[in-house]
Amino acid sequence: MERVYTILPPFRPDEIFDIPGVPKEEPSNLEPPPSEPETFQPENADITITYDEQQAVEQQKAVGEPQPNIPPSTSGEVYHTVTVSVNPAGAGTTYPPVGVHRVKEGSLTIQVMSVKSGYVFKRWKIICDNMIIDGGSAKFKTVRVVRDMVIEALFEAVKTSDEPVFTPPVEIPSGSVVVDFAFYDKIIIAPTGTVTCVETGQSKSLTPVEVAPNEWHGQCEFTGLEAGKTYTFKYQLTNGLRLSDTFSITVKRSVEYYHRGFPYGSSASIALMSVLHLEPRQVKELGGVIALVAAPVVVVSALAYAKKR
């Protein structure tokens, strides 16, 4: 009997928001990975995926043409073969992991789960219908699966100096945090602004990234953060309602993701902020005052109209 595992995409811009105008698609179905020596759990996924570096190297060498003997689905759903590889083999881990997967037609979330010491992630290379597509350098991305394809995560060895480098006796594990913002009511516009790490003083600008066709996010990455430590970040958006706030995240693995969706805001609200130089909170308060003043006028007008009739 064929076993099919359901994997929910690990990213939602904000679980309390639904993005208008974007059709909801069924999650991708993937075959389970071939080995289980070491286990990790992708965020928001409903299965456990396994990864072993030696096995990844062996799988990488064995990856060839997509398996032609995968039986067709009897439910009418369309499935395609997606081959995931890492170059150089063992330089990092991905989601979905290295191997050949049977994936239901639709959207598939791919992301870099970890990077081996001495390497950096460069970009994605996607091969479909004998065409090579540049998948960009964002560690988190959504691809559209409409036919068989090969997805390759490209890593690069870090260049080291020939001069002797002092190695501390105790190595402190480090990681990074990728901040990913989106406007859930206007996905064609990427949030712009800055994000600052309070503990390190690093400040980064949000870079527009097209994570899916006509869907733009603002992303930035903070590197060199100590594993196991909690960091606080302040952000200030410079478009939409120009919202600002803080959030905290603990670095538990080599790459952590923080996703959040915001309202872009109505044209009237943005105009009030621009003309009167108001903050988003003041716009909300002003709207409440207008409502309180206008309510009695509406009631009196309605009573007068009723008397005339």
Side-chain angles (χ1 to χ4, degrees), residues 19-26 107 144 187 213 215:
I19 302 179
V22 179
K24 296 181 179 178
E25 299 186 24
E26 293 295 328
S107 295
R144 183 81 176 164
I187 61 174
E215 181 178 346

Side-chain angles (χ1 to χ4, degrees), residues 3-112:
R3 295 182 299 166
V4 178
Y5 287 67
T6 300
I7 292 184
L8 299 178
F11 163 63
R12 287 177 60 87
D14 195 315
E15 291 187 358
I16 64 172
F17 296 127
D18 289 321
I19 302 179
V22 179
K24 296 181 179 178
E25 299 186 24
E26 293 295 328
S28 300
N29 291 337
L30 302 183
E31 294 287 353
S35 63
E36 304 178 352
E38 180 184 346
T39 302
F40 64 91
Q41 181 72 39
E43 184 180 356
N44 294 336
D46 64 354
I47 71 165
T48 298
I49 294 178
T50 59
Y51 174 79
D52 177 78
E53 183 175 320
Q54 183 59 34
Q55 173 109 15
V57 174
E58 294 174 0
Q59 289 178 345
Q60 178 74 26
K61 293 178 180 178
V63 168
E65 292 297 321
Q67 316 234 348
N69 58 349
I70 295 178
S73 172
T74 58
S75 63
E77 296 175 334
V78 179
Y79 286 82
H80 301 285
T81 299
V82 175
T83 303
V84 181
S85 62
V86 169
N87 187 8
T93 60
T94 59
Y95 174 86
V98 169
V100 179
H101 304 278
R102 185 168 176 259
V103 181
K104 187 166 68 174
E105 186 169 289
S107 295
L108 174 66
T109 298
I110 56 175
Q111 70 182 69
V112 176

Side-chain angles (χ1 to χ4, degrees), residues 188-209:
I188 61 173
I189 296 178
T192 59
T194 57
V195 183
T196 303
C197 179
V198 175
E199 287 75 13
T200 66
Q202 285 182 296
S203 185
K204 303 278 188 177
S205 297
L206 293 171
T207 301
V209 175

